[in-house]
Amino acid sequence: MTEQNRKYVTKEIGKLLSEIWRIKGLAEQEYGPIHPITKKLAGMHMDAQELLQEKSGARNR
């Protein structure tokens, strides 16, 4: 993967994290923190963070 592609992927994952976090906040307001939708969004956010960390770790190798 080229450096330009890596930067693009990192940027897009960052956008994804931001959107998931925003939607999760709205879901918490609407349904509360223990609703399955809110929990699923929290899990998606954690998964996206792991992807970003995994990508950063792979580049540092």
Side-chain angles (χ1 to χ4, degrees):
M1 186 182 286
T2 67
E3 185 61 30
Q4 183 178 5
N5 285 348
R6 279 191 265 279
K7 287 180 182 179
Y8 175 77
V9 169
T10 300
K11 180 180 170 184
E12 291 301 310
I13 293 172
K15 287 181 186 178
L16 179 63
L17 279 167
S18 179
E19 283 298 301
I20 292 170
W21 195 254
R22 183 184 69 78
I23 294 167
K24 179 185 164 287
L26 294 172
E28 282 182 345
Q29 289 176 1
E30 185 71 25
Y31 303 113
I34 60 171
H35 192 277
I37 291 173
T38 306
K39 288 181 179 182
K40 183 66 171 182
L41 288 164
M44 289 171 60
H45 189 267
M46 285 180 13
D47 291 344
Q49 280 182 319
E50 288 174 9
L51 280 173
L52 190 59
Q53 291 171 355
E54 185 177 295
K55 186 193 165 313
S56 296
R59 187 173 19 151
N60 292 334
R61 290 181 195 173

